[in-house]
Amino acid sequence: MASFLEVAEKEGVFIEYSVAIYRTDSRQKFLNVVDIIKTSTSKVIVAFADGNDLDILIKELYYQNVTGFQWVGSEGWITYSYLSNAMNYAVVGGAIGLAVPNANIPGLKEFIASRRPSLKPGNTGLVELWENVFGCTLSTQSQKAEKSCTGDESLENTHTRFTDVSDASLLNNIYKAVYAVAYAVDRLLGCHEGMGPFTNGTCADVGSIEPWQVLHYLAQVNFTTKNGEIVLFDKLGDPVARYAIVNWQRKDEGTIIFQSIGMYDASRQDGQEFIINTSSAIWVGGQYSVSKAGKMLILS
């Protein structure tokens, strides 16, 4: 928020209001925020918010027919499918925002399809899924079905949230994180005494590795994933910023989609980090162009 406000001021954008919302707030608090939006002269609302929090406010705005604002969203809600219904679209249709980009993780779908359940203590995570998907019983204590599972059933042709990898944006962050730690540990184990990075050229004790020692090597990680994404960290420990720019659009049959219209990639050369195809964007009110905003209202 502080960074955004600083940059907005430099760009000559006036922030009219900055309001905080949270799902446990009273309804009166949300109604007060609705009144602020109704009486403000801002035409753009920037929402750094969680989807569940924002959903409450959007419904109140809908009930009072408060529409016509250009919404700008953070990754916390801009591709949150739970929000994508006709009621909410009436309020935030044409919204634009930054989202964690989708990714194809090679071999992930095949890996998931090859999993099998286990009844060993500490490794029973798939048991409940298995019994629900195949309508059978794995454990003798379960009363869900009379039919017994063999454990050899296949997830390959099932349709569940567990097997759906069409949107692997969040999974991709886990994928990169695991690889980053693996690369760090690999370098730690390859250290030679007398040439190590710690006191007097020492290396980590393999039998008693400390987290700060792994962190030292993690800061030096620099690799490219199988799908071509560069993974490294800056001096503050932040990864390279990479976001998809998405736009709330509605197809002719009424389906609401999060259309990708560009990308922000900080690993690109200066001046080429931000790419957006404005000709494919649909703004508030179904417009194909948007006027420059002079004032904004911030929700967080």
Side-chain angles (χ1 to χ4, degrees):
M1 280 293 295
S3 298
F4 179 83
L5 292 172
E6 181 181 345
V7 173
E9 183 178 351
K10 289 180 180 178
E11 294 294 327
V13 178
F14 178 71
I15 308 301
E16 189 172 6
Y17 290 99
S18 180
V19 184
I21 58 172
Y22 195 65
R23 72 198 74 169
T24 57
D25 290 336
S26 66
R27 182 167 184 248
Q28 187 57 51
K29 169 67 181 297
F30 280 97
L31 292 176
N32 290 341
V33 175
V34 171
D35 287 339
I36 290 174
I37 293 174
K38 288 167 63 177
T39 57
S40 74
T41 59
S42 302
K43 292 301 180 184
V44 177
I45 299 176
V46 180
F48 294 96
D50 177 82
N52 293 310
D53 301 336
L54 196 61
D55 185 45
I56 301 172
L57 177 64
I58 292 175
K59 283 182 169 55
E60 295 293 353
L61 291 169
Y62 176 83
Y63 296 145
Q64 297 193 39
N65 195 30
V66 182
T67 60
F69 291 88
Q70 176 62 52
W71 288 74
V72 178
S74 63
E75 73 277 12
W77 68 273
I78 197 67
T79 56
Y80 187 32
S81 58
Y82 177 78
L83 288 177
S84 59
N85 54 60
M87 179 189 295
N88 290 344
Y89 190 85
V91 177
V92 301
I96 189 171
L98 300 175
V100 177
N102 199 354
N104 172 42
I105 303 177
L108 177 61
K109 186 174 182 62
E110 293 75 15
F111 173 80
I112 292 175
S114 68
R115 295 304 88 196
R116 295 294 181 268
S118 170
L119 292 176
K120 293 180 180 179
N123 191 32
T124 59
L126 286 179
V127 172
E128 184 177 352
L129 171 73
W130 215 261
E131 293 180 337
N132 286 330
V133 170
F134 298 108
C136 54
T137 302
L138 271 168
S139 62
T140 56
Q141 290 78 22
S142 177
Q143 301 297 322
K144 291 185 178 180
E146 295 180 358
K147 184 177 70 172
S148 295
C149 300
T150 65
D152 292 324
E153 294 87 359
S154 175
L155 292 170
E156 185 173 0
N157 296 317
T158 60
H159 300 285
T160 69
R161 291 182 63 185
F162 179 75
T163 56
D164 182 10
V165 296
S166 59
D167 183 359
S169 53
L170 297 180
L171 292 175
N172 191 44
N173 282 340
I174 300 172
Y175 170 75
K176 292 185 293 183
V178 171
Y179 264 94
V181 173
Y183 273 103
V185 172
D186 183 63
R187 291 195 62 180
L188 180 149
L189 297 177
C191 178
H192 298 286
E193 286 294 337
M195 301 175 62
F198 309 123
T199 305
N200 298 323
T202 57
C203 299
D205 179 0
V206 176
S208 181
I209 298 173
E210 297 290 339
W212 61 268
Q213 294 169 324
V214 178
L215 181 61
H216 170 84
Y217 288 100
L218 190 62
Q220 301 173 12
V221 160
N222 189 333
F223 66 95
T224 302
T225 66
K226 290 182 179 179
N227 51 21
E229 191 173 345
I230 298 172
V231 178
L232 52 85
F233 303 96
D234 64 20
K235 61 183 179 181
L236 297 177
D238 291 321
V240 175
R242 189 168 181 269
Y243 291 98
I245 303 169
V246 298
N247 180 215
W248 276 47
Q249 298 183 8
R250 182 161 53 191
K251 292 186 174 181
D252 292 339
E253 67 273 18
T255 305
I256 298 167
I257 61 171
F258 309 127
Q259 180 67 40
S260 178
I261 60 171
M263 176 71 69
Y264 176 82
D265 188 345
S267 68
R268 292 176 174 268
Q269 296 180 354
D270 288 345
Q272 299 180 17
E273 303 95 337
F274 186 79
I275 300 173
I276 184 170
N277 181 11
T278 54
S279 62
S280 63
I282 300 177
W283 306 93
V284 59
Q287 300 299 310
Y288 290 92
S289 62
V290 63
S291 58
K292 184 178 179 180
K295 295 181 180 180
M296 291 184 178
L297 189 150
I298 312 295
L299 296 174
S300 64

